[in-house]
Amino acid sequence: ELKVEQNPLFLSMQEGKNYTIYCNYSTTSDRLYWYRQDPGKSLESLFVLLSNGAVKQEGRLMASLDTKARLSTLHITAAVHDLSATYFCAVSFGNEKLTFGTGTRLTIIP
Amino acid sequence: EADIYQTPRYLVIGTGKKITLECSQTMGHDKMYWYQQDPGMELHLIHYSYGVNSTEKGDLSSESTVSRIRTEHFPLTLESARPSHTSQYLCASRRGGSYEQYFGPGTRLTVT
């Protein structure tokens, strides 16, 4: 059974600081996704990582994938208030169904 | 921007009522999904479809049923709503061969 764990579950950080969210998964996966969800809203796709060593960046967010360690990271650089949201990672393997992590609720404090 | 729609967006209904949550997409995607999400929690796949007349149950057991008579339409039905069905329901779609999965705005269901 594929399990996906994120940590931390809750993160409160000051504007301007850097931080990293971790996503571990239990079995081999061929795709890893990062999504953002604002309160009461749907999911917004941030990144899709397809291979070992993949790195993608968009603005202050950068995601990386280490398939050997079964680990993905979402790095936040110089956080701003607009980044406050819940971030989910999700993985899939072969059958194309996504298994989601528990989510990380990020709050950026001015 | 993804063209995937869900109605209603919010629904408050009494126990025992039959309800249908609508999901439609105009992108011609063959793969469609229903997820259930309790507030602040992870999403759980409850149904999916790989094409017309194809439906499968997801990882989380659900008393709901789905149908896929047309490519663009994937409704979810609860024959007899219960308070335990209170949750947010998110529909998603994806084109075969593509990695991107697009989510609809969700339906927030409250059963009293």
Side-chain angles (χ1 to χ4, degrees):
Chain A
E1 179 187 352
L2 179 59
K3 292 185 178 180
V4 183
E5 293 183 348
Q6 287 182 236
N7 68 83
L9 298 183
F10 299 92
L11 176 57
S12 180
M13 54 190 292
Q14 286 186 317
E15 279 189 329
K17 300 291 187 182
N18 303 333
Y19 210 82
T20 301
I21 299 170
Y22 297 89
C23 174
N24 289 92
Y25 50 98
S26 60
T27 61
T28 303
S29 171
D30 57 1
R31 288 191 295 278
L32 189 134
Y33 300 75
W34 283 99
Y35 288 92
R36 168 182 172 147
Q37 186 177 38
D38 292 306
K41 304 291 186 181
S42 187
L43 273 71
E44 173 190 354
S45 176
L46 296 175
F47 304 108
V48 182
L49 303 170
L50 302 176
S51 60
N52 187 45
V55 177
K56 290 194 174 181
Q57 183 165 3
E58 180 73 33
R60 301 176 186 274
L61 300 177
M62 183 174 70
S64 65
L65 178 61
D66 181 344
T67 58
K68 295 178 182 177
R70 297 175 187 165
L71 171 69
S72 179
T73 61
L74 180 66
H75 187 73
I76 302 152
T77 301
V80 293
H81 181 68
D82 287 351
L83 291 178
S84 295
T86 298
Y87 293 85
F88 290 96
C89 66
V91 300
S92 72
F93 178 71
N95 61 13
E96 305 179 343
K97 296 186 292 180
L98 294 186
T99 300
F100 280 80
T102 48
T104 296
R105 187 172 298 179
L106 174 64
T107 302
I108 310 296
I109 302 169
Chain B
E1 187 172 321
D3 296 324
I4 180 165
Y5 308 98
Q6 290 185 242
T7 57
R9 294 291 311 279
Y10 303 91
L11 178 62
V12 180
I13 199 163
T15 297
K17 300 292 186 182
K18 177 180 179 179
I19 58 171
T20 296
L21 308 184
E22 302 287 350
C23 175
S24 61
Q25 48 94 9
T26 59
M27 300 170 284
H29 290 174
D30 49 349
K31 303 182 193 306
M32 297 189 74
Y33 308 84
W34 275 104
Y35 293 88
Q36 184 174 344
Q37 182 186 30
D38 291 330
M41 305 295 285
E42 70 253 55
L43 283 74
H44 294 284
L45 181 68
I46 51 175
H47 297 283
Y48 61 100
S49 168
Y50 287 165
V52 171
N53 295 325
S54 157
T55 61
E56 301 286 344
K57 289 190 179 294
D59 301 323
L60 180 68
S61 176
S62 173
E63 295 169 342
S64 58
T65 59
V66 293
S67 62
R68 189 88 183 276
I69 299 173
R70 304 197 316 264
T71 298
E72 63 273 19
H73 196 214
F74 191 39
L76 180 146
T77 299
L78 277 165
E79 290 292 333
S80 180
R82 295 208 303 264
S84 61
H85 297 139
T86 294
S87 190
Q88 174 161 250
Y89 294 84
L90 289 161
C91 180
S93 72
R94 183 168 67 84
R95 180 175 56 83
S98 168
Y99 299 117
E100 282 289 353
Q101 187 167 132
Y102 297 96
F103 282 81
T107 294
R108 190 172 298 272
L109 172 66
T110 302
V111 183
T112 61

